[in-house]
Amino acid sequence: MAYTGASPVNTGTDTTNDLTTDILLDVLQAFERKTRFKDLVRVDQLSGGASSGSFIVEGKEDTTDGALAAYTAGNQVSVSNGTVDEINVPLDRPQYESRRIDKWDEAVARYDVSGMNVRQLGARLANAVDRKIGSAIETSSLATGLVSNGNGTVVVNTALAGGAAAATTPEGLGKELIESIYAAVAAMKTNDVDEEVYVAMSPTNFQYLPQSLTIVDKDYTSMNGGLDIGDVKMVGGATVFTTNNMPSTAGLIALAFTSEAAGLVNLWDVQVDINTQPEFLNAKLINAYFSNGVKPLKPACAVSIKNV
């Protein structure tokens, strides 16, 4: 009888419940989700001896003439203080997942049992970190700025996919999305955010961008993607990418942000180790774990694009 996927490859998660391996003739390898957020935010790498990290947020003081003074010859200059804030980011307790592989079951299996479990655990935890960062970016877009830096921004467009007044064609949905991305970039520039801007969205929403035609038409752009490859590289000066790790907030279509939107304090990247357990007849115990902390940093550097 052909394998239908009804039986799990492994069952059990603790020392009283051995994992069992079905003896299968073939295995379909799962596609791994690509992590995107982690490489696009600020990172404070800890080497030990600390349970938290910190990021400095410089105060914004150039919007008014403020305390500018006129100098009088022979007088001592007046001294003022700069404005700055420090955001402390504590490490969360390590998060992990473990699996045990019976030596005999692995020996008679017709596929690489250890390799599959290592891939699964590594991808599972890496994407958990990515979703953690995506959530912090969204939180940043809803927050109030520190030391006179701008607040986060929410761009609402009910004509986006799923909105109350959603456009009725893929081309129309794409044009509405382009309009919203331009509004998001403009909001950041209004707050003097000049860093590189990224826009994250699901593949479902991204599909409308190339179908809007103007964003890939040679009369409007050059080498920015196309209908043939189903890609768009930039919109309004922002680099656009797809991710399956968007926050699940109702109505959220996209996140526009810079590296200053959130900060990651990292003690351990995702690590996977394999240990032999003699008390279980040399079964393999696979541990996957990480230790980090994430917080919003500069709300002015984050924008939520929503359809409600």
Side-chain angles (χ1 to χ4, degrees):
M1 178 179 175
Y3 177 61
T4 62
S7 300
V9 174
N10 307 115
T11 58
T13 55
D14 56 45
T15 56
T16 62
N17 189 2
D18 287 341
L19 295 181
T20 61
T21 307
D22 289 313
I23 304 172
L24 311 179
L25 296 180
D26 52 52
V27 168
L28 298 177
Q29 184 171 326
F31 288 101
E32 295 182 9
R33 289 174 178 257
K34 293 182 178 179
T35 58
R36 301 300 303 269
F37 290 117
K38 184 175 182 295
D39 297 326
L40 300 177
V41 297
R42 291 185 61 186
V43 177
D44 183 6
Q45 183 65 50
L46 303 181
S47 58
S51 60
S52 65
S54 64
F55 298 90
I56 299 299
V57 177
E58 293 186 10
K60 184 175 175 58
E61 300 184 356
D62 57 1
T63 56
T64 63
D65 293 338
L68 295 180
Y71 177 70
T72 302
N75 289 351
Q76 185 175 343
V77 297
S78 299
V79 178
S80 62
N81 294 320
T83 56
V84 68
D85 206 340
E86 181 178 14
I87 298 178
N88 290 307
V89 184
L91 288 171
D92 298 331
R93 295 294 302 176
Q95 293 180 273
Y96 76 96
E97 184 170 346
S98 299
R99 296 180 184 178
R100 184 181 299 107
I101 299 175
D102 180 80
K103 183 176 182 179
W104 185 88
D105 284 342
E106 182 180 27
V108 297
R110 298 284 296 276
Y111 64 97
D112 182 3
V113 179
S114 295
M116 183 193 73
N117 280 275
V118 167
R119 286 193 302 272
Q120 289 177 336
L121 289 173
R124 177 184 174 94
L125 269 65
N127 283 281
V129 174
D130 215 44
R131 286 188 287 272
K132 196 174 181 181
I133 297 169
S135 178
I137 293 171
E138 183 190 15
T139 300
S140 189
S141 74
L142 306 175
T144 301
L146 300 172
V147 283
S148 298
N149 285 283
N151 301 330
T153 302
V154 177
V155 171
V156 177
N157 184 350
T158 58
L160 292 170
T168 57
T169 65
E171 180 179 359
L173 291 170
K175 289 180 177 179
E176 294 296 338
L177 187 50
I178 290 170
E179 177 184 319
S180 298
I181 292 173
Y182 265 91
V185 173
M188 281 191 268
K189 289 187 179 297
T190 300
N191 280 320
D192 296 313
V193 176
D194 293 323
E195 295 87 11
E196 184 174 1
V197 178
Y198 307 96
V199 179
M201 67 187 72
S202 70
T204 300
N205 289 311
F206 183 88
Q207 68 170 317
Y208 303 123
L209 286 178
Q211 295 184 78
S212 68
L213 302 181
T214 53
I215 202 65
V216 295
D217 192 311
K218 66 180 181 180
D219 291 335
Y220 295 87
T221 186
S222 175
M223 304 296 290
N224 195 41
L227 284 173
D228 52 347
I229 60 174
D231 193 20
V232 172
K233 302 182 185 304
M234 300 187 76
V235 176
T239 300
V240 186
F241 67 88
T242 63
T243 175
N244 287 318
N245 290 331
M246 287 287 291
S248 57
T249 306
L252 182 64
I253 299 296
L255 288 173
F257 64 98
T258 76
S259 62
E260 300 287 316
L264 168 72
V265 171
N266 200 46
L267 179 63
W268 296 329
D269 278 318
V270 175
Q271 301 184 34
V272 181
D273 58 45
I274 303 177
N275 302 285
T276 300
Q277 293 187 302
E279 69 273 24
F280 289 97
L281 199 61
N282 292 333
K284 292 178 180 176
L285 177 65
I286 305 177
N287 294 317
Y289 52 93
F290 63 82
S291 178
N292 59 36
V294 184
K295 264 191 175 183
L297 294 185
K298 293 180 68 175
C301 298
V303 179
S304 291
I305 298 176
K306 305 185 71 173
N307 63 15
V308 290

Short mmCIF file of all heavy atoms in Angstrom, two decimals, residues 261-284:
data_model
loop_
_atom_site.label_atom_id
_atom_site.label_comp_id
_atom_site.label_asym_id
_atom_site.label_seq_id
_atom_site.Cartn_x
_atom_site.Cartn_y
_atom_site.Cartn_z
N ALA A 261 13.60 50.29 12.38
CA ALA A 261 12.25 50.08 12.90
C ALA A 261 12.23 49.17 14.12
O ALA A 261 11.40 49.33 15.01
CB ALA A 261 11.35 49.49 11.80
N ALA A 262 13.13 48.19 14.16
CA ALA A 262 13.15 47.23 15.27
C ALA A 262 14.57 46.79 15.52
O ALA A 262 15.44 46.89 14.65
CB ALA A 262 12.25 46.03 14.97
N GLY A 263 14.81 46.29 16.74
CA GLY A 263 16.14 45.83 17.10
C GLY A 263 16.09 44.41 17.66
O GLY A 263 15.19 44.06 18.43
N LEU A 264 17.06 43.61 17.26
CA LEU A 264 17.18 42.22 17.72
C LEU A 264 18.43 42.09 18.59
O LEU A 264 19.54 42.40 18.14
CB LEU A 264 17.28 41.27 16.53
CG LEU A 264 17.68 39.82 16.82
CD1 LEU A 264 16.53 39.08 17.51
CD2 LEU A 264 18.07 39.09 15.53
N VAL A 265 18.24 41.68 19.84
CA VAL A 265 19.36 41.34 20.71
C VAL A 265 19.55 39.84 20.63
O VAL A 265 18.62 39.07 20.92
CB VAL A 265 19.09 41.78 22.16
CG1 VAL A 265 20.16 41.23 23.08
CG2 VAL A 265 19.04 43.29 22.24
N ASN A 266 20.71 39.41 20.21
CA ASN A 266 20.92 38.01 19.87
C ASN A 266 22.02 37.39 20.74
O ASN A 266 23.14 37.90 20.78
CB ASN A 266 21.31 37.89 18.39
CG ASN A 266 21.06 36.50 17.85
OD1 ASN A 266 20.02 35.92 18.10
ND2 ASN A 266 22.03 35.96 17.14
N LEU A 267 21.70 36.34 21.46
CA LEU A 267 22.71 35.58 22.19
C LEU A 267 23.09 34.33 21.41
O LEU A 267 24.26 34.09 21.15
CB LEU A 267 22.20 35.20 23.59
CG LEU A 267 23.17 34.37 24.43
CD1 LEU A 267 24.45 35.16 24.72
CD2 LEU A 267 22.51 33.94 25.75
N TRP A 268 22.07 33.57 21.03
CA TRP A 268 22.29 32.36 20.22
C TRP A 268 21.43 32.43 18.97
O TRP A 268 20.22 32.59 19.06
CB TRP A 268 21.90 31.10 20.98
CG TRP A 268 22.70 30.80 22.20
CD1 TRP A 268 24.01 31.11 22.44
CD2 TRP A 268 22.23 30.14 23.39
NE1 TRP A 268 24.38 30.68 23.69
CE2 TRP A 268 23.32 30.07 24.30
CE3 TRP A 268 21.01 29.60 23.76
CZ2 TRP A 268 23.20 29.48 25.55
CZ3 TRP A 268 20.88 29.00 25.01
CH2 TRP A 268 21.97 28.94 25.89
N ASP A 269 22.07 32.32 17.81
CA ASP A 269 21.30 32.06 16.60
C ASP A 269 20.68 30.67 16.73
O ASP A 269 20.99 29.92 17.66
CB ASP A 269 22.20 32.12 15.37
CG ASP A 269 22.43 33.55 14.90
OD1 ASP A 269 21.47 34.33 14.90
OD2 ASP A 269 23.58 33.88 14.55
N VAL A 270 19.84 30.32 15.77
CA VAL A 270 19.25 28.98 15.80
C VAL A 270 20.37 27.95 15.73
O VAL A 270 21.20 27.95 14.82
CB VAL A 270 18.28 28.78 14.63
CG1 VAL A 270 17.78 27.34 14.60
CG2 VAL A 270 17.10 29.74 14.76
N GLN A 271 20.42 27.09 16.72
CA GLN A 271 21.44 26.04 16.79
C GLN A 271 20.76 24.68 16.86
O GLN A 271 19.73 24.53 17.52
CB GLN A 271 22.34 26.24 18.00
CG GLN A 271 23.07 27.59 18.00
CD GLN A 271 24.04 27.73 19.16
OE1 GLN A 271 24.64 26.76 19.59
NE2 GLN A 271 24.19 28.95 19.65
N VAL A 272 21.36 23.72 16.21
CA VAL A 272 20.84 22.35 16.22
C VAL A 272 21.98 21.42 16.58
O VAL A 272 23.04 21.44 15.94
CB VAL A 272 20.26 21.95 14.85
CG1 VAL A 272 19.70 20.52 14.92
CG2 VAL A 272 19.17 22.91 14.41
N ASP A 273 21.79 20.63 17.64
CA ASP A 273 22.83 19.65 17.99
C ASP A 273 22.21 18.26 18.15
O ASP A 273 21.02 18.12 18.42
CB ASP A 273 23.61 20.06 19.24
CG ASP A 273 22.72 20.26 20.46
OD1 ASP A 273 21.85 19.42 20.71
OD2 ASP A 273 22.91 21.26 21.18
N ILE A 274 23.04 17.27 17.95
CA ILE A 274 22.60 15.87 18.02
C ILE A 274 23.43 15.15 19.06
O ILE A 274 24.66 15.18 19.01
CB ILE A 274 22.74 15.17 16.65
CG1 ILE A 274 21.95 15.92 15.59
CG2 ILE A 274 22.26 13.72 16.74
CD1 ILE A 274 22.11 15.34 14.19
N ASN A 275 22.76 14.54 20.02
CA ASN A 275 23.45 13.81 21.09
C ASN A 275 22.99 12.35 21.11
O ASN A 275 21.82 12.06 20.84
CB ASN A 275 23.15 14.46 22.44
CG ASN A 275 23.56 15.92 22.49
OD1 ASN A 275 24.72 16.22 22.59
ND2 ASN A 275 22.58 16.82 22.40
N THR A 276 23.89 11.46 21.45
CA THR A 276 23.55 10.04 21.56
C THR A 276 23.13 9.73 22.99
O THR A 276 23.75 10.20 23.96
CB THR A 276 24.77 9.17 21.19
OG1 THR A 276 25.16 9.47 19.85
CG2 THR A 276 24.43 7.69 21.30
N GLN A 277 22.06 8.96 23.12
CA GLN A 277 21.54 8.60 24.43
C GLN A 277 21.69 7.09 24.67
O GLN A 277 20.88 6.28 24.18
CB GLN A 277 20.07 8.99 24.54
CG GLN A 277 19.84 10.50 24.51
CD GLN A 277 18.40 10.84 24.79
OE1 GLN A 277 17.50 10.40 24.08
NE2 GLN A 277 18.16 11.63 25.83
N PRO A 278 22.74 6.68 25.40
CA PRO A 278 22.97 5.25 25.64
C PRO A 278 21.78 4.58 26.33
O PRO A 278 21.49 3.40 26.09
CB PRO A 278 24.22 5.25 26.53
CG PRO A 278 24.89 6.56 26.27
CD PRO A 278 23.79 7.52 26.01
N GLU A 279 21.09 5.32 27.22
CA GLU A 279 19.98 4.72 27.97
C GLU A 279 18.80 4.39 27.08
O GLU A 279 17.87 3.70 27.50
CB GLU A 279 19.55 5.65 29.11
CG GLU A 279 18.89 6.95 28.69
CD GLU A 279 19.87 8.08 28.41
OE1 GLU A 279 21.05 7.79 28.09
OE2 GLU A 279 19.46 9.25 28.51
N PHE A 280 18.82 4.89 25.85
CA PHE A 280 17.79 4.55 24.87
C PHE A 280 18.42 3.79 23.71
O PHE A 280 18.04 3.97 22.55
CB PHE A 280 17.08 5.81 24.37
CG PHE A 280 16.18 6.44 25.39
CD1 PHE A 280 16.63 7.49 26.16
CD2 PHE A 280 14.90 5.95 25.61
CE1 PHE A 280 15.82 8.07 27.13
CE2 PHE A 280 14.08 6.53 26.57
CZ PHE A 280 14.54 7.59 27.34
N LEU A 281 19.37 2.93 24.02
CA LEU A 281 20.06 2.10 23.03
C LEU A 281 20.65 2.97 21.92
O LEU A 281 20.44 2.74 20.74
CB LEU A 281 19.11 1.04 22.45
CG LEU A 281 19.79 -0.16 21.77
CD1 LEU A 281 20.66 -0.93 22.75
CD2 LEU A 281 18.76 -1.08 21.14
N ASN A 282 21.37 4.02 22.36
CA ASN A 282 22.07 4.93 21.45
C ASN A 282 21.13 5.64 20.47
O ASN A 282 21.48 5.89 19.31
CB ASN A 282 23.17 4.20 20.68
CG ASN A 282 24.30 3.78 21.60
OD1 ASN A 282 24.54 4.41 22.62
ND2 ASN A 282 25.00 2.72 21.23
N ALA A 283 19.93 5.96 20.96
CA ALA A 283 19.05 6.80 20.14
C ALA A 283 19.66 8.19 20.02
O ALA A 283 20.51 8.59 20.82
CB ALA A 283 17.67 6.88 20.79
N LYS A 284 19.23 8.93 19.02
CA LYS A 284 19.71 10.29 18.82
C LYS A 284 18.70 11.28 19.39
O LYS A 284 17.51 11.22 19.07
CB LYS A 284 19.91 10.58 17.33
CG LYS A 284 21.04 9.81 16.69
CD LYS A 284 21.13 10.12 15.20
CE LYS A 284 22.26 9.35 14.54
NZ LYS A 284 22.29 9.58 13.08
#
